[in-house]
Structure formats: structure tokens, C-alpha cells
Amino acid sequence: MSEDLAPAPSGADVASAVPTIAAGRWQLWATASSHRRVLAAGLTVGFFTAGVQACSLLKEMVVAGHFGAGDKLDAFFIAFLLPSFGINVLGSSLNSALLPAYVGARERDGVVAAHAMLAGVTGRTLALLAGLSVVLAVAFPALLPLMASSFSPAKLHLTTTLFYLLLPSLICSALAAVWSGVLNAHDAFGVAAMAPAVVPIAIIVAVLSLGAGADIHAVAAGVTAGALLQCAILARALVGHGVSLRPRWGAMTADIREVYRQYAPAMGGAILASSSPLIDQSMAAMLGSGSVATFNYGTKLVSAVLGVGMVAVGTAVLPQFSRLAANGEWLVLREAFRRYTLLMLLLLIPLTIAIIALSEPLVRLVFERGAFGPDDTRRVAFIQQLLALQLPFFLVGILVVRLISAVRRNDLLMWGAATNVTLNVVFNLLLMKRLGVAGIALSTTLVYVIAATGMGIVLWRHLGRLQRNAADA
């Protein structure tokens, strides 16, 4: 008696099984070692962040075609200086302080304790963001003449209107930075990396929906709407991972105290570090009409590369560095730092050379259309070449910053940032006299070269001391 034979799988069944098999093999490869986990996380985040940066560049193309490099964009960039400053200070620096403490609490006391700490930190952060928003809203009319000393009265009025349209994005974007860090702690790298794409998409929709009659106010409205949508996406993802979003004030527990003990110097460092873009653009505003816009265009392509690298590297290594530091594995941590630094230099030096060599064709391809002409292309390309020189140093610096956060020495960030701001002002004053707005770009690069080298040496020696102390204990 013959047995019934199972039917052969159809072509459709085989095709549908391929993604599952591929995902399974990727998971096996990615979890085989700690270094592979970091590499896999970096590749995942880098892939999605590249998509975000592609959306951002598309947004820049749309904005350049509509507004060129003139007064309207000067006003927008100056209006966004203080909200973006607040986002970096309160959002990004809190993320650096929160993630090691969150991972440590979860490893030591369990998920419930980590979530309770997050709720307490979120409640206090919302109060801080609301207070900062009120302070900025009241102080902006007095601060604006200092940031835009050469603006005409009409240009100052436009800048003020744009500022109040952009101000709500401060709370949304800073909260999104914190929530992204929590998602990364749960290895949900993809969602956190993809969510920022909604901001440039919202700007594109706002500008294109108005066609030729689009005004610069549409760009500001797109920023705020996109930041709100980004928060909604991240909130849904966190709820899916079982994380409660309800903020609480509650008691100041030991875990929350540890977050703010690290947050205070990190915030001090972030205030100083975030002062550099504010200083650069305020000094560019002294150089005449279109200087702020030209400088910002020069940063866009370099920032796209930096954005992919910064998010991929910073997101991937901080949980790994935090785990190694929490367990006192100083030798492994030091070796990981050395290995990742060498790998990044090998990848970034050829990329830097290519960007410098192709700078003008790249600017022409991305920006030269509509109101953005050939003269704008030449000026922006030169600024871009000078800024591209910072690429290897900036991203190695991100690795250094993440390691400083992991070993909970955020006081080093404050002292390093103070030095950077001082150097930035001095170099700006010296170089802008000779090169104009391009001198500000060269100043930025010199600061990152000095900062990454100096902080890297200090941190390497600190890890060596930790390793020796552990061996003697």
C-alpha cells in the first residue's frame, strides 16, 4: 500500500518563504557575537537613516528651487536656531544620560523598575521643556537683534513670525529624542531610525501643496507638523514594546537621581556644544544678505553623511558600551573602542576625498534649479569642501562621546565643549576676515579635528586607568 505524498510546494510558497529564511539567517549571523550585534545594529540604523537623509536632501532640493539663497531662508535659519538649540540641549543630552541608566536599571532590577524610572524622568522632562518654551517665547524679541545684527526691520519681523511657528517643535523633537533612545535600548533600531523621515516629508508636502505661491511660512509649519507626527510614531512603537508613556512626577528615586547626576554635566556640555552652530550662523548673519543660507546649504550634503554615520555609530555602540561598562569589562571595552575607531577611519578617509573631489558637481545636481543659480553653486561647493574635511574626526568624536556617556564621565563633555566653543569663536574671527562665510566652515572643521584628537587621547588613558584599577582590586 503506497503512502500519500505531500504536495510539492508551489512557486508562490517558495517566494513567500525567502524573506523569512533570509531574516532568520541574518538573525543568526547578527547574534553570533557582541561585535556582530553592534555591526548589525549599525547597518540597520545606517540603512534607515540613509533613507531619512535622502528625504532630507529631497526637501532641500524643493526648498532651494523655491527660495534660493536669499533673505527668506536667512530668516528661517535664524528663527530655528533657538528651538534647535533647545532640542539638542534637553533632548539629545538627556538621551545620553538616560540610556546607560535605563539599561543598568533593567539589567539590575528588572523591566518594571526601568519603566518606573522612565516615567519619572519623562514627567520632569516635560515640565522642563514647557518652562524653556515659555522663557524662549518671552526672551526672543530681545535676543533676535543679537543673533541677526545686519537684518532689516522687515527681515526681523519675518524671523519673529517664523520663530513662533517653530517653537512647538521644541517639545515634540526633544521628547522624540528621548523616546528614540528607549526604543534603541529595546533593540528596536529600525523604528527609531525611520521616524525622523516624517519631518522632511511634511515640509515637502507643505511647500509643494502651495505650488509657485509657497511662502517660507510653509516650511516652518511643515517642521512643527512633522515633529508632532514623529512623536506619534515613536509613541505607538513604545506602547507596542510594553512601555508606558504616562509621565509621573513621583519620588526622586536613586535611579532618577543617577540620570540627573549624569544629565547635569551632559547638559552643560550640550549647551556649549550646541552654541557653536548658533555662534556660526549669528556670525554669518554679519556678512550680508544670503550668507546664512549659503552657509547652511554648504552643510547639507556633509550633514547627510554625518547624520547617517552619527546615528548609526552612536545608536549601535552606546547600548554595547553601556553593558560592558556596567559589568566592568574594561579591557574588552578598550579593545572595542580601538577596533571601531580604526574601522571608521578606513571607511571615512576615502569617502572624504571623494566628496571634496566631486563637491561642485554634487551641489549642482542637488541644488541648482529655480532660484538657486551657478554663482550659488560655486560658493556652496567651496564651503562644502572645507566642511567635508571634518568627516573622519566628527564621527570618531561621536564614538568618543558615546564611550564617555557609557563610563559615566559626562563632566568631560562639559570641559571639552567649553574648549570647543572658545576655539570656534577665535577661529571664526580670524578666518572670516580672510575667507568670509567659508572661513566659518574652515573654523568648524579645525575645531572637530582638535576636539576628537584631544578627547580621544584623554578617554583612552582613562580606560587604561580603569583597567589597571580593576586588575589591582
Side-chain angles (χ1 to χ4, degrees):
M1 187 171 122
S2 62
E3 296 180 357
D4 292 336
L5 296 176
S10 66
D13 292 335
V14 173
S16 63
V18 168
T20 302
I21 295 171
R25 290 183 176 177
W26 167 258
Q27 187 69 17
L28 286 174
W29 180 87
T31 56
S33 70
S34 61
H35 291 307
R36 286 191 182 182
R37 282 195 293 273
V38 171
L39 179 58
L43 290 173
T44 300
V45 174
F47 174 78
F48 289 119
T49 305
V52 174
Q53 294 299 332
C55 292
S56 295
L57 285 178
L58 180 59
K59 177 259 295 181
E60 298 301 338
M61 294 168 66
V62 171
V63 171
H66 276 78
F67 304 108
D71 285 346
K72 289 183 178 181
L73 272 184
D74 281 355
F76 172 81
F77 288 127
I78 293 298
F80 198 40
L81 275 180
L82 290 181
S84 61
F85 178 81
I87 291 164
N88 290 330
V89 169
L90 294 182
S92 302
S93 57
L94 179 57
N95 189 11
S96 297
L98 173 63
L99 185 54
Y102 182 85
V103 171
R106 189 179 62 186
E107 295 286 323
R108 184 183 63 251
D109 301 322
V111 173
V112 174
H115 289 178
M117 181 194 73
L118 176 62
V121 170
T122 301
R124 290 166 172 82
T125 300
L126 284 172
L128 193 60
L129 289 169
L132 178 62
S133 297
V134 172
V135 170
L136 291 179
V138 172
F140 187 75
L143 295 174
L144 179 57
L146 302 176
M147 297 188 296
S149 55
S150 69
F151 281 18
S152 67
K155 199 169 174 180
L156 289 172
H157 177 73
L158 175 60
T159 306
T160 302
T161 303
L162 292 171
F163 168 78
Y164 289 113
L165 275 174
L166 289 163
L167 188 57
S169 69
L170 166 60
I171 295 177
C172 295
S173 296
L175 199 58
V178 175
W179 286 352
S180 294
V182 177
L183 281 171
N184 292 330
H186 287 268
D187 294 331
F189 298 106
V191 177
M194 285 189 298
V198 299
V199 178
I201 290 172
I203 295 171
I204 292 170
V205 171
V207 173
L208 293 183
S209 63
L210 297 176
D215 190 75
I216 194 67
H217 295 87
V219 180
V223 170
T224 299
L228 183 60
L229 287 171
Q230 182 184 359
C231 266
I233 292 169
L234 295 172
R236 183 173 181 179
L238 283 169
V239 171
H241 281 82
V243 179
S244 173
L245 298 179
R246 182 167 47 183
R248 298 173 185 169
W249 191 264
M252 178 66 79
T253 64
D255 287 330
I256 296 175
R257 278 196 299 270
E258 175 60 18
V259 171
Y260 285 102
R261 190 177 73 82
Q262 293 298 319
Y263 182 36
M267 184 170 65
I271 289 172
L272 293 169
S274 299
S275 297
S276 292
L278 191 152
I279 291 168
D280 287 345
Q281 296 194 57
S282 296
M283 295 181 81
M286 301 176 184
L287 298 174
S289 178
S291 295
V292 179
T294 300
F295 178 77
N296 275 275
Y297 279 124
T299 68
K300 296 304 181 183
L301 293 177
V302 174
S303 295
V305 177
L306 291 176
V308 174
M310 180 174 65
V311 176
V313 172
T315 300
V317 301
L318 183 55
Q320 174 70 0
F321 283 173
S322 298
R323 282 190 288 267
L324 292 173
N327 295 323
E329 299 180 51
W330 306 118
L331 178 61
V332 179
L333 183 57
R334 201 171 190 234
E335 175 59 23
F337 174 57
R338 184 190 68 82
R339 180 179 298 185
Y340 298 151
T341 299
L342 291 176
L343 178 61
M344 288 170 59
L345 291 175
L346 288 173
L347 293 173
L348 290 168
I349 290 174
L351 179 60
T352 300
I353 294 171
I355 291 175
I356 292 172
L358 299 172
S359 186
E360 190 163 330
L362 286 171
V363 173
R364 186 178 299 113
L365 174 66
V366 175
F367 297 125
E368 193 176 308
R369 59 184 53 80
F372 195 102
D375 289 340
D376 297 319
T377 294
R378 285 189 291 272
R379 287 192 294 268
V380 169
F382 183 46
I383 292 170
Q384 182 174 277
Q385 287 174 325
L386 296 174
L387 289 170
L389 292 169
Q390 72 182 270
L391 279 171
F393 300 95
F394 183 94
L395 290 175
V396 169
I398 292 300
L399 197 65
V400 171
V401 168
R402 291 297 183 262
L403 186 50
I404 287 173
S405 295
V407 300
R408 304 190 183 191
R409 284 299 310 272
N410 287 320
D411 56 301
L412 295 176
L413 297 179
M414 184 169 62
W415 292 111
T419 303
N420 293 349
V421 169
T422 303
L423 290 174
N424 189 43
V425 173
V426 172
F427 289 156
N428 278 356
L429 290 172
L430 291 174
L431 295 172
M432 64 190 286
K433 292 179 180 179
R434 294 177 176 270
L435 300 173
V437 72
I440 298 175
L442 180 57
S443 169
T444 300
T445 292
L446 291 175
V447 169
Y448 281 122
V449 171
I450 294 170
T453 304
M455 292 297 289
I457 292 171
V458 169
L459 188 57
W460 182 257
R461 291 177 176 173
H462 180 66
L463 289 175
R465 285 194 297 271
L466 291 173
Q467 181 183 339
R468 289 191 295 273
N469 293 339
D472 294 339

